[in-house]
Amino acid sequence: MLKLLTTLALLLLSSTSALEVETAPASPHKVTLQSRSVPKGSSFRRRALSPTSVPLADFFLGTDLQWFGNISVGTPPQELTVVFDTGSVTLEFASTLCGSVCPQTQFDPDQSSTFVDGGRTSSITFATGVGVDPVIGSNYKLTLRSAKDTVSVGGLSAPSISLFLITNQTPKFDIDPFSGIQGMGATAQGIFAALVNKGLPSLFSLYLTPQAVGNAELTLGGIDNSKLTGTPIFASLPSGSGSTWQLNSPKLFVNGKTTSVLNTARTIIFDSGTSNVLFPTATANAIYALISPDIKPNSNEAGTYGIACNLIDTLPATIDIAFTSQSGKSFNLTIPSSELNVGPFASNSSLCQTLINAFDGLDLVGGSLLKHYYSIWDVGNQRMGFAPAVGV
């Protein structure tokens, strides 16, 4: 979920052939998990933390929207659910300070002996929402209060973690079944940084399955090889990416074809907290022109496109995004035709919304791509890895 703070913008396979344009290198890419070395003669011994997995549930409203799992906060621990969001860097969740405005499970700071109020208030506005509708103005906005407390995830715990309590939220958040968002940006921060400092390897993996497959999970500090097939292909983050998970792409293909607009280098952001795909208007128009002339902008909801529901499921709409691996090989990440239909518009049930929203200045993919791969987010080596996901 891409956030825009009021003071700072935080931009933040079922088959191997669908993943690769060229044959994968004969030498496998491997991630070796090692404990940190200790100087000789030192009496200090740090035991590396073992990788841990967190089961994820799928928020499903006709299409897969978000995946969320449990954390606990405070002493004694209060259990909350959060989206593990690669498009942001901070932790925020509903609190009793929000009252009836927040229908989600709320954290009560008065019940935690380790809670420390930071006393600072701020607001945060999101550039992408929870579902598939585009953000308009400040309709996805949270009011926050800074604090610190003990946070635990996957059985691993760290004290005095910076966080934010939600004290107010706009109505767009009301349907959320989860209490908040745990940022998982490309620089380790918060609970993840604390665990890395305790010896957890600085990477995590996501198995974001469609609801029909289930058993989605986040693995902190490692890779669950039972959830992938073949050998992951890794690509390096561009220099200067900061907290943003992004990769350079030379071109896009739609049903195997490209155009002058699509055959243009761009940087693609990967956001596990966003459901669909955002491209600049010219790119969205070029993609839809290769799918069907009947896909038109929907003036009732700025940034969206639609087509008659009785036509949409017949359309070929395979979108391939080209990348280059660390070894110099070209590979594609593919969004299949099955993702094109994200359901009927509320204002017109005979008109179905299509996958891509127009958002000038942004090239971003979310869950509609990620759920077709096992993804590896390697903070320490500033790279991303992808492999065909088991069962998808």
Side-chain angles (χ1 to χ4, degrees):
M1 183 174 289
L2 200 65
K3 301 176 178 179
L4 299 179
L5 275 79
T6 54
T7 57
L8 177 67
L10 290 182
L11 282 182
L12 314 159
L13 280 160
S14 56
S15 68
T16 304
S17 61
L19 177 66
E20 304 171 26
V21 171
E22 298 178 280
T23 304
S27 58
H29 297 280
K30 293 183 179 179
V31 176
T32 302
L33 307 182
Q34 298 178 331
S35 60
R36 298 182 178 182
S37 61
V38 179
K40 291 182 178 180
S42 172
S43 60
F44 173 75
R45 294 291 184 271
R46 170 180 283 172
R47 179 177 295 175
L49 297 178
S50 298
T52 185
S53 293
V54 179
L56 302 179
D58 182 6
F59 180 30
F60 187 83
L61 289 177
T63 184
D64 305 279
L65 296 175
Q66 306 264 239
W67 291 261
F68 57 96
N70 292 335
I71 65 169
S72 62
V73 181
T75 308
Q78 301 177 43
E79 191 169 274
L80 302 166
T81 53
V82 294
V83 171
F84 293 96
D85 176 21
T86 63
S88 63
V89 297
T90 54
L91 169 61
E92 53 265 351
F93 45 78
S95 73
T96 51
L97 300 177
C98 193
S100 60
V101 176
C102 295
Q104 294 82 10
T105 299
Q106 299 175 347
F107 172 76
D108 186 349
D110 292 335
Q111 300 302 312
S112 174
S113 63
T114 49
F115 177 81
V116 178
D117 180 19
R120 181 168 56 89
T121 59
S122 60
S123 63
I124 187 170
T125 299
F126 293 80
T128 62
V130 172
V132 295
D133 296 331
V135 170
I136 300 174
S138 298
N139 62 342
Y140 281 93
K141 182 177 181 179
L142 300 176
T143 304
L144 308 170
R145 187 174 183 88
S146 64
K148 291 185 177 181
D149 209 335
T150 297
V151 177
S152 300
V153 57
L156 304 177
S157 181
S160 195
I161 299 299
S162 295
L163 52 86
F164 295 91
L165 305 182
I166 298 173
T167 62
N168 198 3
Q169 67 182 28
T170 51
K172 279 287 189 179
F173 291 96
D174 290 354
I175 64 170
D176 296 357
F178 42 85
S179 294
I181 302 160
Q182 172 62 68
M184 301 292 287
T187 54
Q189 299 188 38
I191 178 64
F192 187 49
L195 296 177
V196 169
N197 288 336
K198 291 172 117 180
L200 186 74
S202 57
L203 78 159
F204 60 92
S205 304
L206 287 170
Y207 181 58
L208 301 180
T209 58
Q211 188 189 51
V213 174
N215 298 313
E217 71 173 17
L218 160 73
T219 299
L220 290 171
I223 301 169
D224 185 346
N225 288 297
S226 70
K227 300 296 192 301
L228 60 88
T229 61
T231 300
I233 292 179
F234 286 92
S236 298
L237 273 61
S239 176
S241 291
S243 297
T244 307
W245 289 106
Q246 57 186 355
L247 297 174
N248 290 333
S249 170
K251 64 183 70 177
L252 308 176
F253 299 91
V254 179
N255 298 324
K257 300 177 181 179
T258 190
T259 67
S260 59
V261 173
L262 302 182
N263 190 15
T264 302
R266 66 190 72 222
T267 301
I268 306 289
I269 295 171
F270 291 79
D271 185 356
S272 65
T274 294
S275 306
N276 51 348
V277 177
L278 284 79
F279 279 125
T281 303
T283 301
N285 288 338
I287 290 173
Y288 286 136
L290 291 175
I291 296 174
S292 171
D294 295 322
I295 297 176
K296 303 290 186 182
N298 182 2
S299 59
N300 292 327
E301 295 190 33
T304 66
Y305 294 73
I307 188 173
C309 291
N310 62 348
L311 298 177
I312 191 168
D313 291 330
T314 67
L315 297 174
T318 299
I319 301 170
D320 288 299
I321 308 174
F323 298 99
T324 303
S325 73
Q326 287 184 315
S327 63
K329 297 289 188 179
S330 296
F331 70 97
N332 292 346
L333 296 179
T334 302
I335 304 173
S337 299
S338 58
E339 297 295 335
L340 180 64
N341 186 357
V342 298
F345 284 100
S347 59
N348 182 355
S349 60
S350 66
L351 185 68
C352 277
Q353 184 179 342
T354 47
L355 173 68
I356 299 163
N357 290 341
F359 193 115
D360 288 330
L362 195 62
D363 296 87
L364 180 148
V365 295
S368 56
L369 181 145
L370 293 172
K371 69 184 177 185
H372 296 284
Y373 298 91
Y374 187 89
S375 55
I376 303 160
W377 312 70
D378 190 345
V379 177
N381 291 304
Q382 288 293 281
R383 63 181 185 171
M384 298 184 67
F386 300 90
V390 169
V392 177

